[in-house]
Amino acid sequence: MALAFRNGTDTRRHDGAGGMSAFERARRRLYLPFVIPALLLHLAFVIGPTVAALWISFHRWDGVSPMEWTGLDNYTALLKDSTFRTALVNTLVILVVAGLAIFVISFALTMVVREMRWKSFVRSVLFFPHIVSAIVLSIVWGFIFQHNGAVNTILDRLFGTEPIPWLNADNLFIMILVGTVWLSTGLYVTIIMAGVDRIPPYFYDDALLAGASAVQRLRYVTLPLSWDVISVAAIYWTISSLKIFEFIYAFGGTTNDLPPPGVWNSALFVYGESFGGRSPSYLFGYASASAILMLVLFAFLVVGLRRMMRRDPIEF
């Protein structure tokens, strides 16, 4: 039996089947045309390859010959592989060290740029490296820091110093870290500034009248009122840091070979064990096992980060 009731100007009909109105049923039916295509694409290009990688990780496979079941052998071998441990440490260093540098610089630039007259133009300039191909920027980065590059030339003109071997094996990973910060900072300035721009100016005016310093305004006004944007940016960086590939590949590698294993991260390790450089190994099962391990590790990191950064929403 259908029931009708009036609540103010809104009239809805309930048929007694679960208490759902005709309007709600129609709205739910509307979800399907929008959700199903996205769900199918997600299954085809994300869930499907992930399940396939998990299955391949239990086999020895070169991509052509039949798969040979090995159980957990690939995983136990990874734990003894010094190259994998180096790649894991490098990935975590990029996540933590480069991430901290990116967020500190982004906050500093946000506080400076938001007070500038041409802040939209400056924001676009800062964002520019993120829209250029990482391979192109890695080539530019190499030219700037090569033996006779711009940096050594400037240092020689100013201080008369000998050329610094920025790109030798000992300094290569540090230069990759600095380049990663350079590439990513503009994006996070844009994200953080979008959150800061929502804060009404009178909060800062009140803080100034109360005699708050720049650091105190950052701590008591900016951070609490833009915390939701910051937490999303932190999670986005955690996921993005796992997928950094092009910059390291192009900056540290040569025409015919991969970068030295000492600068590999997890993405380079997967590629190196799958296709390699001058001497491909085609260890698809081994590479899949490393990808699954990193996926599990970063899933725990993202969940832990979400719990750590969870705060009650502040309305203003």
Short mmCIF file of all heavy atoms in Angstrom, two decimals, residues 60 62 78 82 88 101 111 146 164 217 245:
data_model
loop_
_atom_site.label_atom_id
_atom_site.label_comp_id
_atom_site.label_asym_id
_atom_site.label_seq_id
_atom_site.Cartn_x
_atom_site.Cartn_y
_atom_site.Cartn_z
N ARG A 60 57.69 -18.70 -11.88
CA ARG A 60 58.87 -18.28 -12.64
C ARG A 60 58.43 -18.18 -14.10
O ARG A 60 57.96 -19.16 -14.69
CB ARG A 60 60.00 -19.29 -12.51
CG ARG A 60 61.27 -18.89 -13.27
CD ARG A 60 62.39 -19.91 -13.17
NE ARG A 60 62.86 -20.02 -11.79
CZ ARG A 60 62.67 -21.07 -11.03
NH1 ARG A 60 62.03 -22.12 -11.52
NH2 ARG A 60 63.11 -21.12 -9.79
N ASP A 62 59.18 -16.00 -17.99
CA ASP A 62 59.93 -15.04 -18.80
C ASP A 62 59.05 -14.32 -19.80
O ASP A 62 59.56 -13.61 -20.68
CB ASP A 62 61.09 -15.73 -19.51
CG ASP A 62 60.63 -16.83 -20.47
OD1 ASP A 62 59.40 -17.00 -20.62
OD2 ASP A 62 61.48 -17.51 -21.06
N LEU A 78 63.50 -12.18 -2.68
CA LEU A 78 63.54 -10.73 -2.62
C LEU A 78 64.15 -10.24 -1.31
O LEU A 78 64.91 -9.27 -1.29
CB LEU A 78 62.13 -10.16 -2.77
CG LEU A 78 61.58 -10.01 -4.18
CD1 LEU A 78 60.12 -9.59 -4.13
CD2 LEU A 78 62.39 -8.99 -4.98
N SER A 82 70.07 -7.75 -2.27
CA SER A 82 70.57 -6.44 -1.81
C SER A 82 70.08 -5.32 -2.72
O SER A 82 69.85 -4.19 -2.27
CB SER A 82 72.10 -6.46 -1.78
OG SER A 82 72.63 -6.73 -3.06
N LEU A 88 64.17 -0.46 -2.02
CA LEU A 88 63.16 -0.19 -0.98
C LEU A 88 63.57 1.02 -0.13
O LEU A 88 62.75 1.91 0.14
CB LEU A 88 63.00 -1.44 -0.11
CG LEU A 88 62.11 -1.29 1.12
CD1 LEU A 88 60.69 -0.93 0.72
CD2 LEU A 88 62.11 -2.59 1.94
N ALA A 101 60.73 17.88 2.47
CA ALA A 101 61.25 19.09 1.81
C ALA A 101 60.18 19.75 0.95
O ALA A 101 60.03 20.98 0.96
CB ALA A 101 62.47 18.72 0.94
N MET A 111 52.95 30.90 1.96
CA MET A 111 52.84 32.07 2.84
C MET A 111 53.37 33.34 2.17
O MET A 111 52.86 34.43 2.40
CB MET A 111 53.63 31.81 4.14
CG MET A 111 53.05 30.72 5.01
SD MET A 111 51.37 31.07 5.58
CE MET A 111 50.41 30.06 4.46
N GLN A 146 75.95 19.39 -15.20
CA GLN A 146 77.09 18.68 -15.75
C GLN A 146 78.39 19.41 -15.42
O GLN A 146 78.37 20.53 -14.88
CB GLN A 146 76.93 18.50 -17.24
CG GLN A 146 76.92 19.80 -18.02
CD GLN A 146 76.69 19.57 -19.49
OE1 GLN A 146 76.71 18.43 -19.95
NE2 GLN A 146 76.46 20.62 -20.24
N ILE A 164 82.37 21.02 -9.42
CA ILE A 164 81.91 19.97 -8.50
C ILE A 164 81.29 18.84 -9.32
O ILE A 164 80.45 19.09 -10.20
CB ILE A 164 80.88 20.53 -7.51
CG1 ILE A 164 81.51 21.65 -6.68
CG2 ILE A 164 80.34 19.43 -6.61
CD1 ILE A 164 80.54 22.37 -5.78
N ARG A 217 50.72 32.46 13.00
CA ARG A 217 49.58 32.46 12.08
C ARG A 217 49.52 31.16 11.29
O ARG A 217 48.44 30.63 11.04
CB ARG A 217 49.68 33.65 11.12
CG ARG A 217 49.52 35.00 11.79
CD ARG A 217 49.21 36.08 10.77
NE ARG A 217 50.28 36.28 9.81
CZ ARG A 217 51.33 37.06 10.00
NH1 ARG A 217 51.45 37.73 11.13
NH2 ARG A 217 52.25 37.19 9.08
N PHE A 245 59.27 7.34 -11.84
CA PHE A 245 60.03 6.46 -12.72
C PHE A 245 60.80 7.24 -13.80
O PHE A 245 62.01 7.12 -13.92
CB PHE A 245 59.08 5.46 -13.39
CG PHE A 245 59.74 4.58 -14.40
CD1 PHE A 245 60.49 3.49 -14.01
CD2 PHE A 245 59.62 4.85 -15.76
CE1 PHE A 245 61.12 2.68 -14.94
CE2 PHE A 245 60.25 4.05 -16.70
CZ PHE A 245 60.99 2.96 -16.29
#
